[in-house]
Amino acid sequence: KLLRKRKKMHNIKLIRKEPNFFLKKLSHRNTNISLKNLLDLDKKNRELIQNKEKLEQEKKIISKKQDKSQFSRSKKISKEIEQFDKSHIKIENEIEATLSSLPNLALDEVPVGNDASSNKEIKKIGEISKFEFKPISHYEIGKRLNLMDFDVATKTSGARFVFLKDKLALLERAISNFMLDCHTNEFGYQEISPPLIVTDNTMFGTGQLPKFESDQFEIKLEDEKSRKFLIPTAEVILTNIVRESFLKKEELPLRLVASTACFRKEAGSYGKDTRGMIRQHQFYKVELVSIVEPKKCLEELDRMTNCAQQILEKLKLPYRVVMLSTGDMGFSAEKTYDLEVWIPSENKYREISSCSSCGQFQARRMNAKYKNESNESDFLGTLNGSGLAVGRTLIAIMENYQQKDGSVIIPDVLRSYMHGEERIG
């Protein structure tokens, strides 16, 4: 067929039916767009399809009659159908390009706002540490212990990289293993060890492409037709496990967890968090992904957020839960809770986990379906969350557990992963 299979984003039928509602919801996501061109293209596309179907029907009748005098007419119809196909492809691609750039619509309970200033604090958990001395930053602690080296990393790899040594490297590994054990043994997630390289179609499926291409690390290959990227988060590869799939209802929910390296250019963050490990090009994260029936997305979001919270509580780190506003949410999210851990040296909370329900948005882009209770084909619901960001957990432990002598107490739950060590330094 001339027409390639069209990727699904937003439902054009719903936009056609309620354009004003769609525009209002998009404006809440800081996206201003005129739908006139999109709806005009959609109308033209439907007219093309109707005209093509009429010609195909006429050709079918001629073929059945087997009248040689109609041969030239049949040949002409074939050429007209071919032209309709070409026009159809062009218009479909224009529609697809527009739809693929539009973010998911926020749910009604999400606070409306332009940025983080409109986020809604849900609750605070844990007592903020009171030090008898002025707490110092994680990078000052790491430098004094000679276990964190940014200078060598700059020489070998450039800015926003770090070398962790000896006990800090072990602590990083301990954090990751502890989280994996909790999520698999206590919370019912299935551990996955996935590839760290994905195709452009995979990146498209979860919403990293095309809008956020500038923030991705692309791998240059000899075959220019094949584009590959380093994963910015394990969400990308784990969610795409169900791409182009048709799951049985009995297979749901599907809960997956992976601890991987993640790679981001941090485009647009020039001048932000230039010191320390808060914002790195390469970092480690334990990622949670759930594939569920769409109607169970919000229930699963609460469950996932609670799983991430349990990690912080086991580590006895003070944190707060925040619901993100429409202007601060990720591109694919319909509702997001951030967990923010207390960072003593900054005297404020910083994001350590972001748990999002994406509804059917990603499933449409991936063409991931299941049979619902009415035995009808429907798109799946997808969710993702950090459980937690390993580097930021390391930072939080170093700063909240720091001692006056420059050492760092190791949280009780991590000591068995640290060969019985009780402190670093």
Side-chain angles (χ1 to χ4, degrees):
K1 290 183 178 180
L2 283 173
L3 180 63
R4 64 186 175 84
K5 190 170 184 179
R6 181 181 170 190
K7 298 185 182 86
K8 297 174 174 67
M9 281 74 61
H10 288 287
N11 190 335
I12 190 70
K13 291 181 181 178
L14 294 180
I15 299 173
R16 190 190 307 147
K17 186 178 179 182
E18 298 183 84
N20 292 333
F21 168 81
F22 199 80
L23 274 174
K24 181 182 177 183
K25 282 290 188 179
L26 278 180
S27 69
H28 293 165
R29 298 301 314 269
N30 294 340
T31 302
N32 294 314
I33 182 175
S34 170
L35 293 181
K36 185 180 184 305
N37 185 51
L38 178 64
L39 293 174
D40 286 347
L41 285 170
D42 175 55
K43 183 180 178 182
K44 189 175 180 181
N45 195 39
R46 285 181 288 128
E47 289 172 354
L48 276 171
I49 293 170
Q50 289 173 357
N51 291 332
K52 178 188 168 185
E53 287 174 349
K54 287 178 183 177
L55 287 172
E56 286 175 334
Q57 186 63 28
E58 184 182 349
K59 186 178 178 181
K60 192 175 181 181
I61 292 169
I62 291 172
S63 179
K64 279 184 178 181
K65 288 182 178 179
Q66 293 185 337
D67 185 349
K68 290 183 180 180
S69 64
Q70 293 292 311
F71 178 74
S72 59
R73 172 59 184 158
S74 179
K75 198 172 182 180
K76 185 180 179 184
I77 290 173
S78 296
K79 287 183 179 180
E80 288 179 8
I81 290 172
E82 189 177 327
Q83 287 303 312
F84 275 130
D85 274 336
K86 288 178 180 178
S87 298
H88 184 35
I89 291 171
K90 186 175 182 295
I91 292 173
E92 285 266 281
N93 287 343
E94 288 182 52
I95 292 172
E96 179 185 315
T98 301
L99 290 178
S100 67
S101 68
L102 302 179
N104 199 356
L105 304 184
L107 297 179
D108 290 342
E109 64 261 36
V110 175
V112 177
N114 293 326
D115 49 38
S117 64
S118 299
N119 292 348
K120 179 182 178 183
E121 182 179 286
I122 305 299
K123 59 183 175 180
K124 288 179 180 174
I125 296 95
E127 291 293 322
I128 291 174
S129 303
K130 293 179 180 177
F131 295 93
E132 296 177 351
F133 58 94
K134 185 180 179 181
I136 60 176
S137 67
H138 67 280
Y139 49 86
E140 290 176 290
I141 298 169
K143 188 176 181 180
R144 291 182 185 183
L145 292 171
N146 195 30
L147 298 178
M148 187 178 286
D149 199 323
F150 293 95
D151 294 334
V152 172
T154 300
K155 290 176 185 176
T156 60
S157 307
R160 297 193 188 274
F161 290 94
V162 66
F163 274 93
L164 297 182
K165 304 175 186 177
D166 195 30
K167 294 295 189 291
L168 270 192
L170 177 59
L171 180 57
E172 181 183 56
R173 176 157 55 94
I175 291 167
S176 180
N177 289 340
F178 161 68
M179 290 177 183
L180 283 173
D181 283 350
C182 287
H183 291 305
T184 54
N185 297 335
E186 296 183 39
F187 308 142
Y189 286 86
Q190 178 187 352
E191 184 176 353
I192 304 290
S193 179
L196 302 183
I197 296 173
V198 294
T199 65
D200 54 348
N201 281 333
T202 300
M203 294 281 276
F204 177 90
T206 43
Q208 276 70 29
L209 294 183
K211 192 174 178 68
F212 303 102
E213 185 170 338
S214 63
D215 205 27
Q216 314 307 325
F217 280 107
E218 183 173 357
I219 301 171
K220 297 298 181 184
L221 301 171
E222 290 181 10
D223 180 7
E224 294 181 4
K225 294 179 181 178
S226 177
R227 299 185 72 195
K228 299 285 179 69
F229 297 84
L230 292 172
I231 60 168
T233 164
E235 169 208 342
V236 175
I237 189 72
L238 293 182
T239 310
N240 272 276
I241 282 177
V242 296
R243 72 175 290 108
E244 303 293 342
S245 296
F246 207 114
L247 271 60
K248 296 176 182 176
K249 187 182 173 184
E250 302 77 55
E251 296 178 80
L252 304 174
L254 187 61
R255 298 185 177 114
L256 310 171
V257 61
S259 179
T260 68
C262 306
F263 306 88
R264 294 179 191 170
K265 285 184 180 178
E266 293 295 345
S269 66
Y270 182 78
K272 294 180 183 177
D273 302 310
T274 54
R275 300 190 72 185
M277 286 180 61
I278 287 285
R279 202 178 294 271
Q280 298 267 282
H281 288 313
Q282 175 187 311
F283 57 96
Y284 293 89
K285 185 152 65 84
V286 172
E287 185 74 2
L288 307 173
V289 162
S290 293
I291 311 295
V292 300
E293 295 177 67
K295 66 180 182 180
K296 295 185 177 179
C297 277
L298 294 185
E299 176 187 331
E300 186 69 15
L301 177 60
D302 289 341
R303 183 190 189 278
M304 178 180 282
T305 305
N306 182 60
C307 290
Q309 286 181 241
Q310 290 299 310
I311 301 294
L312 286 167
E313 290 177 23
K314 288 173 185 290
L315 292 169
K316 297 180 180 178
L317 292 170
Y319 70 96
R320 68 174 185 166
V321 183
V322 175
M323 188 193 301
L324 299 193
S325 72
T326 55
D328 198 32
M329 283 199 309
F331 179 80
S332 298
E334 63 176 8
K335 183 179 180 180
T336 298
Y337 289 115
D338 268 11
L339 304 184
E340 298 179 349
V341 70
W342 180 255
I343 303 297
S345 69
E346 298 185 12
N347 199 37
K348 67 179 180 181
Y349 292 96
R350 296 295 297 257
E351 179 197 336
I352 195 168
S353 172
S354 193
C355 298
S356 299
S357 169
C358 299
Q360 296 177 299
F361 183 80
Q362 292 178 325
R364 284 183 174 279
R365 297 168 76 99
M366 296 185 300
N367 196 29
K369 297 181 178 181
Y370 81 113
K371 278 280 180 72
N372 62 23
E373 61 271 13
S374 303
N375 204 35
E376 297 170 336
S377 173
D378 197 7
F379 291 104
L380 292 160
T382 67
L383 302 95
N384 64 80
S386 315
L388 309 161
V390 175
R392 292 195 177 192
T393 304
L394 178 73
I395 290 168
I397 290 171
M398 290 176 70
E399 295 206 12
N400 283 280
Y401 282 86
Q402 63 180 293
Q403 303 299 301
K404 191 174 183 179
D405 64 1
S407 65
V408 176
I409 299 293
I410 297 167
D412 292 342
V413 291
L414 294 180
R415 291 178 183 178
S416 62
Y417 295 89
M418 293 287 292
H419 313 310
E421 297 273 359
E422 294 183 3
R423 72 168 63 210
I424 296 174

